[in-house]
Structure formats: C-alpha cells, structure tokens
C-alpha cells in the first residue's frame, strides 16, 4: 500500500513538472512586516521569474514630524520601529544637534554608544535565535527546540533577557527610550547599576561564545552561495564605527554624511511600497556583514576569534552569513560595552545638565549604525525650532534591491529543486537580511509600466 502511494506521488510530481508553475510565498514568516516571494517555473524546471515584493502599508513618519518642535521629534521617530527605537532616536538627536550646532559631553557620547550596543544585542539575538535558528534545525519555530535543544534555548533566553536589562539601565526602559534627549541625558544610571551590568556582561561572553559554537556546527546548513556586491557602512580611523564616522564603501572612497542622498540614490519599483537604493552598482548591502567587512580590524579580540572560527574574513560575499556576522557583533558589542563602562567608572560619573538648545534655522544630517545597517536622518528646522523638511533613509530600504539581485543570482542554481526546497532557500535568504519591512514602506502612485527614479523623497 505504501509503495503504491509513493509511486502515485512520484507520478504526480512528474506530471506537475511538465507544466508551468507559480510559487507564491505570501507574507513571509519570521520577518518583521509583510513581504512576498514570487517564483515562476517553466515545464523544464527553469526559474523564469524570481521577485521580492514588498506589500506593507505606507507609513509616513517624515510627514508626521513636519511642523513639530525639536523637543518632540526624537520621541515621534523612535516609533518608526519598536526594534530599532534606540537607533532612530539617536539618529534624530544627532541630526537635531547638528542643525543647532550643539556639542555634547564625552560622558553623553559614551552613554549613547552603550545604548546602541544594547539595541544591537536585543535585535541580533532575537534574529539569530528565534528567526534563523529554526531554519537550520529543520523546524517551523523556536518552540520545538525546548525539547531538542533545551540548554541552548535557555542560554539564548538568558542572553536576550540581559540585553533588555542593558537597555533599561542605560535608556530607562527596554524600548522607546526616555533618557536620551537633544543636548545630553535626562537621567543617568547609578554606579551600582553600571557595576552590576558590567559583571553580567562579562559572564554573558561565555554564553555568546557557546551560541557561536552552535552556529559553527550548523554552518554547513547554509547554501554555498556567493555574490560580490557593494558593502556600505560607517567607518572610522579609530574604532568599530557605530555612532560616529564617515560613509564607507567597499568600492569607493569614504564620504562625509552630507553625501547620504547621493549614495542612497533612492528610487521606486512597481512591486514595492518601499523605496530601493543603489550607489556604484545596481544595489548594495548594509548591516552586520557590511560592517564586519569594512571594520574587521577594529573588532574585539574575542569577536575576531569567532569571526575566524566562522571563516568570516573580509571580504565575505555570502549573504546567508549575515547571521554569523551578527553573532560576531554581539560578542564585539559586549566586549566594547565592558570597556566603555570601565571608562565611565574610572573617570567618575558626573551629574551633567543637558546642553541648552538655542533654536535657529538650520539643517542637520545624522548617520548611525542600527542593527540592520546605516540609518540616515535629515532635518531642516526654521527659526522657531520646528521642522520644515524631513527625510529618513531606512537600512532595509537600502537592502531591498540587494535581496532582489541575490534572487537573480541564486535562481539558476535552484533548477530542478522541489517547490519546498526553492521556498526554503529563498525564505532563508530574505530572513538572513533580518528585514524590518514596516519601517521601510513608503508609497507613491506610478504607472505600473514605468519605474520612477527618485533621488530624494522629502516631505515639505
């Protein structure tokens, strides 16, 4: 009976393979927001179409801030993303301070760097453990791992819990920060809180390395795929750039942040409510792998050791390895945070009043590295300190085009594969980018037969 069933299944598969087919993954799972994968397969098993579609509803945060005073902006834009609320808030504050020529203290800068590290850990660990690991272990979600990989799952939960506590200590709560404001800090942690945090971070390094060891074992599960592209990230002469730096490229000389719109070169495509970007090539990548590729020499010693264990030596061209780069960054963020806390404790905490902001007409541009890549905020203020123009270029916007180019390159390698294998491979590829689709979605009406170039999309 079983033999007959198997024979019938094989016959059905042969009949299906003789027809043109369409594979559609609607609302890809284990990503933030709504995106679809559309694949057309001819009767010979060739993939004739492979497209990444963004179908998320529009969200016009740039329009929301127009007319609002500078004191409100950083709170509004942090709501662009619950995962990257710290990064959006810091980009907003940085742009506002530049517009008003406001210089903050060294202590404030250290706290801001710590806040970014906390967010990096929060976001990366969520992606690594809950969104990607199930693919590598052949399950549909993280829940079955409670039986098969209990120790590893508890280790992951402990690391994730600490990252939330880290954010709360520095920012006042785990998401949508309260303490970060233009000109300084509303409140700072106590010496006791910082000492406890440092001790917990030191202990967590071993947990993170165990997580890395698990992925090193599972690394063979990743497709052997390589596609050279342009990598863009903040770069600096003295550190692994996250909060300050210039715009670096693997194919171009570094540029000041004021060149952001000439690098992002945003444009629209019919199948996406999100803008796409390109610089010197048809697409580029931002995010953890780009940062490791461009800033490898400034990784902490234990992070660099993990990168070597993965074989993650610049330039790495496998987009599936973005998750491995995130593990490396988790270790680096922890190492660097320990050093920054030591610096604060050595210098002694100071109760500083925020620098007084004097509103004036001005423009400010910020470039901050958030978990998914380089984030740009541009503001123009009037004499009363109210926004008249705003532009936010989201990391996922910058990655959408690169996802499509990866699809174009990997599609021929999937010839003859089953629909399940094709769906899994393409889904894993999108998930590797850890896209925050909701943050990236904007919409402009267009003729479906035309692609409308869009150098700047600024609300007035």
């Amino acid at each position: 009976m079983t033999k007959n069933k198997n024979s019938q299944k094989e016959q059905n598969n042969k009949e299906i393979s003789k027809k043109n087919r369409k594979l559609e993954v609607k609302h890809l799972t284990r990503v933030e927001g709504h995106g679809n994968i559309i694949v057309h397969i001819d009767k010979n098993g060739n993939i004739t179409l492979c497209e990444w579609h963004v179908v998320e509803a529009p969200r016009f945060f740039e329009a929301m801030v127009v007319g609002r005073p500078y004191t409100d902006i950083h709170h509004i834009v942090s709501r662009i993303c619950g995962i990257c609320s710290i990064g959006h808030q810091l980009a907003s504050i940085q742009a506002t301070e530049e517009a008003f020529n406001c210089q903050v203290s060294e202590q404030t800068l250290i706290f801001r760097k710590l806040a970014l590290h906390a967010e990096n850990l929060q976001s990366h660990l969520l992606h690594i453990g809950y969104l990607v690991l199930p693919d590598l272990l052949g399950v549909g979600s993280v829940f079955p791992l409670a039986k098969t990989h209990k120790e590893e799952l508890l280790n992951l939960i402990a690391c994730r819990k600490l990252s939330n506590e880290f954010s709360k200590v520095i920012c006042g709560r785990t998401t949508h920060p309260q303490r970060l404001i233009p000109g300084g800090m509303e409140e700072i942690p106590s010496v006791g809180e910082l000492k406890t945090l440092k001790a917990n971070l030191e202990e967590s390094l071993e947990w993170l390395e165990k997580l890395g060891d698990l992925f090193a074992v599972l690394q063979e599960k990743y497709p052997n795929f390589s596609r050279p592209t342009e990598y863009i990230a903040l770069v600096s002469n003295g550190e692994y750039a996250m909060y300050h730096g210039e715009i670096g490229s693997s194919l171009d000389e570094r540029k000041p942040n004021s060149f952001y719109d000439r690098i992002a070169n945003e444009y629209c495509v019919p199948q996406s409510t999100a803008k796409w970007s390109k610089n010197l090539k048809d697409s580029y990548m931002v995010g953890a792998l780009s940062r490791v590729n461009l800033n490898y020499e400034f990784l902490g010693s234990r992070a660099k050791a993990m990168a070597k264990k993965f074989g993650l030596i610049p330039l790495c061209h496998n987009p599936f390895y973005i998750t491995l780069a995130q593990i490396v960054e988790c270790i680096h963020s922890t190492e660097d945070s320990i050093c920054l806390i030591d610096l604060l404790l050595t210098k002694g905490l100071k109760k500083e009043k925020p620098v007084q902001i004097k509103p004036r007409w001005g423009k400010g541009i910020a470039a901050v590295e958030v978990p998914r890549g380089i984030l740009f905020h541009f503001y123009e203020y009037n004499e009363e300190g109210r926004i008249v123009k705003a532009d936010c270029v989201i990391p996922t916007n910058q990655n959408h085009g690169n996802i499509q180019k990866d699809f174009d390159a990997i599609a021929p390698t999937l010839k003859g594969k089953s629909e399940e294998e094709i769906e899994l491979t393409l889904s894993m590829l999108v998930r590797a980018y850890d896209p925050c689709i909701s943050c990236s979605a904007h919409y402009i009406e267009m003729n479906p037969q035309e692609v409308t170039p869009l150098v700047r999309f600024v609300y007035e």
Side-chain angles (χ1 to χ4, degrees), residues 264-414:
N265 293 306
E266 294 182 289
Y267 63 99
C268 291
V269 294
Q271 74 266 30
S272 174
T273 54
K275 296 171 285 183
W276 291 16
S277 295
K278 60 182 178 180
N279 185 34
L280 296 184
K281 297 175 74 75
D282 289 338
S283 68
Y284 63 83
M285 181 194 289
V286 297
L289 184 59
S290 291
R291 289 191 291 260
V292 170
N293 273 337
L294 297 185
N295 294 290
Y296 179 85
E297 63 180 302
F298 296 114
L299 285 170
S301 59
R302 295 172 78 159
K304 192 174 287 186
M306 184 58 67
K308 290 179 179 177
K309 180 175 288 189
F310 292 144
L312 197 61
I313 309 299
L315 287 170
C316 172
H317 297 301
N318 188 339
F320 291 95
Y321 284 10
I322 293 171
T323 306
L324 303 182
Q326 288 180 331
I327 296 173
V328 170
E329 282 201 333
C330 283
I331 297 172
H332 172 77
S333 282
T334 303
E335 288 183 282
D336 195 47
S337 295
I338 293 167
C339 293
L340 291 172
I341 293 171
D342 264 340
L343 183 59
L344 286 171
L345 295 175
T346 300
K347 287 179 173 290
L349 295 181
K350 303 177 182 66
K351 291 186 177 181
E352 301 173 329
K353 290 184 178 181
V355 178
Q356 187 176 1
I357 300 287
K358 295 181 180 180
R360 63 172 195 178
W361 177 89
K363 297 180 180 180
I365 299 168
V368 172
E369 287 287 349
V370 295
R372 286 153 194 81
I374 192 168
L375 168 67
F376 301 109
H377 278 223
F378 163 82
Y379 303 150
E380 181 179 346
Y381 285 98
N382 64 16
E383 293 82 356
E384 297 175 351
R386 292 180 178 271
I387 283 192
V388 295
K389 291 182 181 179
D391 188 21
C392 300
V393 182
I394 313 301
T396 297
N397 282 125
Q398 299 169 71
N399 275 333
H400 282 314
N402 215 59
I403 292 172
Q404 181 59 58
K405 292 301 177 184
D406 283 346
F407 272 17
D408 295 342
I410 204 170
T413 71
L414 301 176

Side-chain angles (χ1 to χ4, degrees), residues 27 33-34 54-60 273-274 437-443:
H27 296 177
H34 295 152
V54 177
V55 295
E56 184 74 31
R59 305 166 77 241
F60 296 119
T273 54
I437 301 169
S438 298
C439 302
S440 72
H442 299 273
Y443 179 77

Side-chain angles (χ1 to χ4, degrees), residues 91-103 112 182 243-244 257-258 357 360-367 377-379 381:
S92 176
I93 290 170
Q94 191 182 108
T96 296
E97 288 172 348
E98 181 177 283
F100 297 140
N101 193 28
C102 173
Q103 304 294 322
R112 290 178 181 178
Y243 185 69
H244 275 306
N257 296 342
S258 57
I357 300 287
R360 63 172 195 178
W361 177 89
K363 297 180 180 180
I365 299 168
H377 278 223
F378 163 82
Y379 303 150
Y381 285 98

Side-chain angles (χ1 to χ4, degrees), residues 12 14 23 28 36 55 81 87 96 127 139 181 195 202 237 247 262 277 316 334 348 368 391 424 431 442:
N12 290 340
K14 288 179 180 179
L23 171 62
L28 177 66
N36 300 339
V55 295
C81 182
T96 296
H127 179 243
V139 293
I181 61 173
K195 286 183 176 179
E202 288 173 335
N237 290 330
I247 304 170
R262 282 167 278 183
S277 295
C316 172
T334 303
V368 172
D391 188 21
L424 177 60
R431 275 195 282 268
H442 299 273

Side-chain angles (χ1 to χ4, degrees), residues 211-224:
L211 181 63
D213 292 340
L214 172 62
F215 272 77
V217 172
L218 297 173
Q219 190 172 346
E220 63 182 19
K221 303 276 188 178
Y222 285 117
N224 183 20

